[in-house]
Amino acid sequence: MSARSTSSRPVRAKPPASASASSLATVFPVFLKAAALLAMALLVYFPATQAGFIWDDDDMLTENPLMRGGLGDIWFTTKFYDYYPLTLTSLWIEWRLWGMNPMGYHVTNILLHAVTSILFWRVLLRLRIPGAWFAALVFAVHPVNVESVAWIAERKNTLPMVFYALSILWFVRAENEKTNKWFWLSLTAFVLALLSKTSVVMLPFVLLGCLWWLHGKLTAKDVLRTLPFFAVALVFALITIWMQYNRAIATDVVQAAGFWERLARAGWAVWFYLSKTLVSLNLSFVYPRWEIDPSSVMVYVPGLAVLGWLAVFWKFRDGWGKAPLLGFGYFVVTLFPVLGFFNIYFQKYSFVADHWQYTSIIGIIALVTGAATHALRNHQTAQIISACAVALLLGIVTWKQCYIYQNDETLWRDTLKKNPQAAIAHHNLGILAAERGDLAQAMTHFRSALDAQPDHEGAHYGLGTAFALQGNFTQALPHLREAVRIKPDFSMALNTLAWILATHPSGSIRNGAEAVRHAQKAVDLSQERNAVFLDTLAAAQAEAGRFEEAVRSAQKAAELARAENPELLGDITARIKLYQSGRPYRERLP
């Protein structure tokens, strides 16, 4: 090599060995801590990977026609009962990967939960809160979170929380580094979280809390900085309220309480959730509904206690009260949407639920672990031992809790064990017994459900159907009519009632006019996309002597059945011939 070529080549200085080692020392512990959080989540939730589908997993996934259609219906229509298109899109993608194999969905939920735990660790570090990793570990293995992680339908909890945590992380980073890039990334993450579910709608208040924590005060500039978040939250909150009242709840009465009763119950709920966070015993899928007398002064004491503690923490906010104000304040503020001031469908069964505090629980966890870490700041060994002991204890409870969510049978039997008056548990166990062909056991559960809740439309429908299957139509019809009275848009009950009234051999039971009324409503509710309902409408129209209409309805039913229910097609075709000849259909019943 020539001297010229050698001299013209730029010389690169090698970094000192100590600098490379320092960089690795910085990154490697971060990687190890993140890997540990991931490993712990996978370990304690391993039983959930063996679980199946439960309760409304069918509405969300297995029997959801949107999973088999295009993404346009998910994003741009109100065909589903709530608006979280990003969550449904994630399930839509996975449906093409796993189909009816539940393991893939469960693993995804666990991984999302683990990622959220890691992100919360990074958020708490950015906020300079002691014991950040310890708090993330407790969140990862806390038993209260099992309902959100082990239940596939709660993808609408685990997915938005990833974007929620990212939004906080990037917002705080934008504040620390004074860059707009992270601000806009934070706002984008918040929009994605809201598109996953609006349970994260209180995030703008959380961001204000973070700014207060970092600077010790809030300025007009701070408030202006969060205004885009408030604007987006308001839009999605209004969408959700409309969807809940017009699609999810519709004609159902989830609670008839007035403002004062709701206010009193909100105070109870805060302390209930706090108790389950601190002492996770007797966790239940459905807790008993509280009976509160709003005329009694004592029922407002829990709510006044919440305000009292917040006031105390505020008074001492420049000292020891600052951390409790942030932690407990975060907990209360993020719980607000589920405290009962707005109707949520699940309130029909219980006013509280473990999955409703998935967003909130990190506030109390960070407060407690931060206080413990501060108290043991000069005793690192004690910190490590305490963290391991707490993680082990909570992990064992979480592992056991996962087995409750293995299938519908284990879920509802555990619910009855802890809440014997849970009408929904009796109702669903009755359905399982009926599917096994054990009508006697099914009817026992349906009657128990009605003893606990006389206006349970599902139990009336189940009992009426069971009587019909036994050939006892005299007792079946009152229960079916009661189910329709309680829930006027109960399409399955409308259809079953119409079918009996239209096709029963006995003229004393048949009623063509009533059958048409019920069947037409069921068809309208399905937007003419249900072959069974159209088939029933055709039979009802024939019984009422409207044979031309019956033929048209049956032909529509045949078109749908050809693609979706081929087993029904032959029966419908035979009935079309009857209607064309001017004869109604008479079913041979037991």
Side-chain angles (χ1 to χ4, degrees), residues 389-438:
V390 171
L392 178 62
L393 178 62
L394 294 176
I396 290 172
V397 178
T398 293
W399 175 284
K400 292 181 178 179
Q401 190 74 7
C402 285
Y403 283 103
I404 294 170
Y405 294 83
Q406 291 296 297
N407 53 58
D408 278 328
E409 190 85 27
T410 57
L411 178 68
W412 298 119
R413 290 205 177 281
D414 180 80
T415 301
L416 278 186
K417 180 180 177 182
K418 296 165 181 173
N419 180 9
Q421 295 301 307
I424 184 177
H426 280 297
H427 169 243
N428 284 289
L429 285 170
I431 292 174
L432 293 174
E435 289 173 349
R436 292 193 303 265
D438 189 349

Side-chain angles (χ1 to χ4, degrees), residues 228-382:
F229 292 86
F230 277 103
V232 171
L234 177 61
V235 170
F236 277 88
L238 292 174
I239 291 173
T240 298
I241 291 171
W242 187 91
M243 292 291 291
Q244 277 290 315
Y245 281 79
N246 292 277
R247 295 288 286 110
I249 297 173
T251 60
D252 271 346
V253 178
V254 299
Q255 59 167 325
F259 171 77
W260 292 106
E261 183 176 343
R262 291 172 188 247
L263 181 65
R265 197 164 56 229
W268 289 38
V270 170
W271 294 110
F272 171 87
Y273 287 125
L274 182 62
S275 69
K276 293 300 179 183
T277 301
L278 298 176
V279 185
S280 301
L281 298 177
N282 295 317
L283 298 177
S284 178
F285 187 64
V286 180
Y287 294 99
R289 279 169 57 113
W290 303 321
E291 297 296 330
I292 291 179
D293 179 9
S295 65
S296 170
V297 175
M298 296 303 296
V299 299
Y300 301 99
V301 171
L304 291 172
V306 171
L307 297 177
W309 278 112
L310 288 173
V312 171
F313 297 149
W314 176 257
K315 179 176 176 60
F316 296 97
R317 65 189 180 279
D318 294 328
W320 66 266
K322 185 176 182 181
L325 182 59
L326 180 68
F328 188 62
Y330 169 91
F331 184 69
V332 175
V333 165
T334 52
L335 278 174
F336 177 76
V338 296
L339 290 180
F341 295 108
F342 307 99
N343 286 343
I344 303 172
Y345 186 78
F346 193 79
Q347 292 169 344
K348 183 174 183 177
Y349 313 112
S350 178
F351 295 128
V352 289
D354 289 345
H355 66 274
W356 282 345
Q357 66 164 319
Y358 188 60
T359 306
S360 309
I361 194 174
I362 188 65
I364 298 301
I365 291 173
L367 178 60
V368 174
T369 55
T373 302
H374 180 73
L376 299 173
R377 60 189 178 279
N378 297 322
H379 306 280
Q380 189 171 10
T381 301

Side-chain angles (χ1 to χ4, degrees), residues 170-234:
W170 286 338
F171 186 88
V172 174
R173 184 166 183 177
E175 185 63 22
N176 288 339
E177 300 179 9
K178 303 302 179 183
T179 57
N180 286 328
K181 176 183 74 173
W182 297 112
F183 174 85
W184 293 112
L185 282 173
S186 173
L187 183 60
T188 301
F190 182 43
V191 172
L192 293 174
L194 291 167
L195 287 168
S196 302
K197 194 186 178 184
T198 49
S199 55
V200 297
V201 73
M202 302 303 287
L203 178 103
F205 295 99
V206 174
L207 298 181
L208 287 175
C210 291
L211 290 172
W212 171 79
W213 174 261
L214 291 171
H215 306 310
K217 62 179 181 179
L218 286 177
T219 65
K221 183 180 177 182
D222 293 330
V223 176
L224 286 173
R225 196 163 174 77
T226 58
L227 283 183
F229 292 86
F230 277 103
V232 171
L234 177 61

